[in-house]
Amino acid sequence: MKKTVILSVATVAGLAAAAATAGTVDDVKARGKLNCGVTTGLVGFAAPDANGEWKGFDVAVCRAVAAAVLGDASAVEFVPTTGKTRFTALASGEIDMLARNTTWTFSRDVDLKFEFVGVNYYDGQGFMVPKALGVTSAKELDGATVCIQTGTTTELNLADFFRSNNISYEPVPIETNAEAQQQYLAGACDVYTTDASGLAATRATFENPGDHVLLPEIISKEPLGPLVRHGDHEWGDVVRWTLNAMVSAEELGVTSANIDELSSGAGDNPEVNRLLGTEGTLGEMLGLDADWAARAIKAGGNYGEVFAQNIGEETPIGLARGLNAQWTDGGLLYSPPFR
Amino acid sequence: MSDVSFVRTEMLPEQAPPASEVGLIGWIRHNLFSGWFNSILTLVSLYAIYYVLSGVLPWVFQSVWNANSLNECREIMMATWGSTHGHACWAVINDRWLQLLFGFYPSHLYWRPIAALLLLLVALAPVLYSDRLPTKMLIFSAIYPFLMVWLMWGGTIWGPIAAALGFVVGWGVYTLVSKQLSGLFGLIAGVAASVIWWLVLSSYFVGALDSILPIGIEAVQSRQFGGFMLAILLGVVAIGVSLPIGIVLALGRQSDLMIVKYLCVGFIEFIRGVPLITLLFVASLLLNLFLPPGTNFDIILRVMIMMTLFSAAYMAEVIRGGLAALPRGQYEGADSLGLNYWQAQRLIIMPQALKISIPGIVSTFIGIFKDTTLVSIIGLFDVIGLASAIRADTAWNGIYWELFAFIAALFFVVCFSMSRYSMYLERKLQTGHH
């Protein structure tokens, strides 16, 4: 019995090692397509449009990586994954990277053997209540019924928050966000709690968004970011620095409007030159060509442009930059320097 | 005592029955208001029907068909009826119905699944209406599975041909060996030959012929399959393949050969004892982990196999019920005629047993067809999965009932047709045991 367990563990480990050492960059280049895991649909982050074209904030990361590695932002095979299938899909090599608003946690990084390459959205768990309830703080929610998605970290955060504040609540378990909207609107629960970005997106779909307020408390840290398998550092670097290139581009003022001009020749700003490959050999170090980052930025624009297009204040979702502003504007986005 | 008795000497002419006893009024009196209790029940039911319809009908018919987003729908509703409550926004169906039907199948190739569906009807016709159509049409029914695969997935035509040749190879080996040795050896050798052909030789065959004579149509990835098309594809395959497997399993379970019997019992009890969703997770997750990396074992094929096995286990039990319902005398009668096992099954037992099990078989068919929606849980975009993907579009986020009403209508049409056909079949096969 023991032996079989050990054997099967060894088999799995061996498979994982084999999958890891194959060299994902070469695999992707040979295949001519990037297999990118996304959600089966989350407003603003990933959703297929009427033509089956995937759009969204997470999708933009996939497209940028595809543009950097393959030179074609449309050379992406989007593999829809659910909360249950996402990690197996990545571990088994079915997908090359996962960009599926996944929270970076210790156990996912260490125990599940994944590598989070960065954070593309800093989220946190919030509360939404009807304005008529007259509640201004989550600490006044004693005895409230709360709609909560089962089996998520939000469920655990909620329990922690209420326990540490010594107040009671009654959970109303729900399975999907769509169900939560219906339950909440039907009055089955006083409060709906999930990631603040999700709450904002949900509220935007209500007939009278003004009748509902988001409470100021954010009770958890949810850094969402793309991830790859442990062990293939070359591939991890490619994805990490593609994300960093998008962030740096915004910081350095490189936009999809001026990138053609900036990348046509070396300009005044050496960091822009290094980023866009008009100076230095950064692309070569990464195993790619010189204008990899320029292509990645051209795919959908810099971080700020992607944000504004998909989830920013001009869209129905209307998220403010908040924590996701550049460090120079008081946010947390801080890309290491390109040198 | 005077005699006042009176005897009529001529017949009275027939009179029309009173108006309250015939026609519509008579029917209503007899069926709806035959007593105070039934009258109350009638009135309550009428009110209930009115209540439901008065809510549903305006919602269905006073609705918005042309809009680009839910908010636009709401604006139109406000402008037209002054309220957004109780009006459907069918614009989402108008916008996305092709996607709900075909998933991400390339739009210039929509004719292929449509052709596959029409040809399916042609292939089914001689099976379903065997008394009205020539038996020769069954040849097309035999070709159809390979034709369907080619139409749906595209690619080189030699792939399906090689798959079909596997059966020919198996059959050839079987007849050769069973003549030389025994039937059992022939069967084993035939199956082995087919498997070797499919797993090893056919890829060389396809490669060679494709380089000599490349005939093919544009290939479509499994990932692009979706929508109601996926439900029909999975349903048709599971239904079509599970019936023969189910018959074999049911016979195997009643067999006198111990190994065969316990293999069948074990298979049936294991599959029936496990929820379908577990099997689907095995198909999508565990196989991924245990197959060597780089193996490209098509996800839809995996799901098809699991659904077929699942439905076959149920089918076996339904057919076993039919077998058990046959009187012992039928088996004995077959034996006394000197028929061997397969002749008895084919000519006497199965026709009767299957007839008895028709309602159960069709129930299983309908059940497995509806179960195809479970694949949305493993990330395949069937029609339910697409509904949530459509909701994830900022334009349609928050829309709910319209999508599900549309999906329910799609499923109802197919399931109701199956149910009606089974009733037709029962009437046709009614040979009068009453």
Side-chain angles (χ1 to χ4, degrees), chain A residues 15 43 49 82 94 205 207, chain B residues 74 84 99 223 288-289 397:
Chain A
L15 290 179
V43 183
D49 69 2
T82 66
E94 188 185 353
T205 70
E207 282 193 65
Chain B
R74 285 177 177 151
T84 58
Q99 200 172 52
R223 282 271 161 224
N288 254 350
L289 281 179
N397 187 11

Side-chain angles (χ1 to χ4, degrees), chain B residues 379-393:
Chain B
L380 286 181
F381 273 128
D382 85 315
V383 72
I384 298 277
L386 273 171
S388 39
I390 289 172
R391 260 197 303 275
D393 190 324

Side-chain angles (χ1 to χ4, degrees), chain B residues 9-189:
Chain B
T9 54
E10 77 278 11
M11 287 290 275
L12 273 177
E14 274 182 21
Q15 283 190 329
S20 62
E21 293 294 320
V22 290
L24 185 64
I25 298 172
W27 186 87
I28 288 175
R29 259 181 57 122
H30 281 291
N31 292 294
L32 301 181
F33 297 99
S34 60
W36 64 269
F37 183 65
N38 284 349
S39 304
I40 293 175
L41 282 186
T42 301
L43 291 176
V44 170
S45 316
L46 281 179
Y47 177 74
I49 293 171
Y50 167 77
Y51 182 76
V52 171
L53 286 186
S54 68
V56 170
L57 289 183
W59 183 77
V60 172
F61 292 105
Q62 292 188 344
S63 48
V64 180
W65 277 94
N66 291 304
N68 290 319
S69 71
L70 183 57
N71 283 331
E72 214 178 306
C73 253
R74 285 177 177 151
E75 280 163 23
I76 297 175
M77 285 175 197
M78 285 306 281
T80 321
W81 298 288
S83 129
T84 58
H85 190 72
H87 304 286
C89 177
W90 296 116
V92 64
I93 307 294
N94 195 9
D95 189 33
R96 296 291 187 106
W97 66 280
L98 277 172
Q99 200 172 52
L100 282 168
L101 291 183
F102 293 100
F104 302 140
Y105 210 84
S107 56
H108 62 284
L109 298 176
Y110 279 165
W111 65 271
R112 274 164 43 183
I114 293 171
L117 182 66
L118 293 178
L119 289 176
L120 171 71
L121 298 180
V122 175
L124 278 181
V127 182
L128 297 184
Y129 301 100
S130 50
D131 51 342
R132 301 191 198 165
L133 291 164
T135 327
K136 277 197 179 150
M137 279 181 74
L138 283 173
I139 298 173
F140 178 73
S141 308
I143 299 174
Y144 178 74
F146 307 100
L147 186 62
M148 181 198 77
V149 169
W150 186 57
L151 275 177
M152 297 297 288
W153 274 273
T156 169
I157 196 170
W158 299 110
I161 288 181
L165 275 179
F167 287 99
V168 177
V169 168
W171 178 253
V173 171
Y174 166 73
T175 41
L176 261 180
V177 176
S178 57
K179 262 185 203 144
Q180 305 288 323
L181 296 160
S182 74
L184 183 64
F185 277 111
L187 194 66
I188 295 172

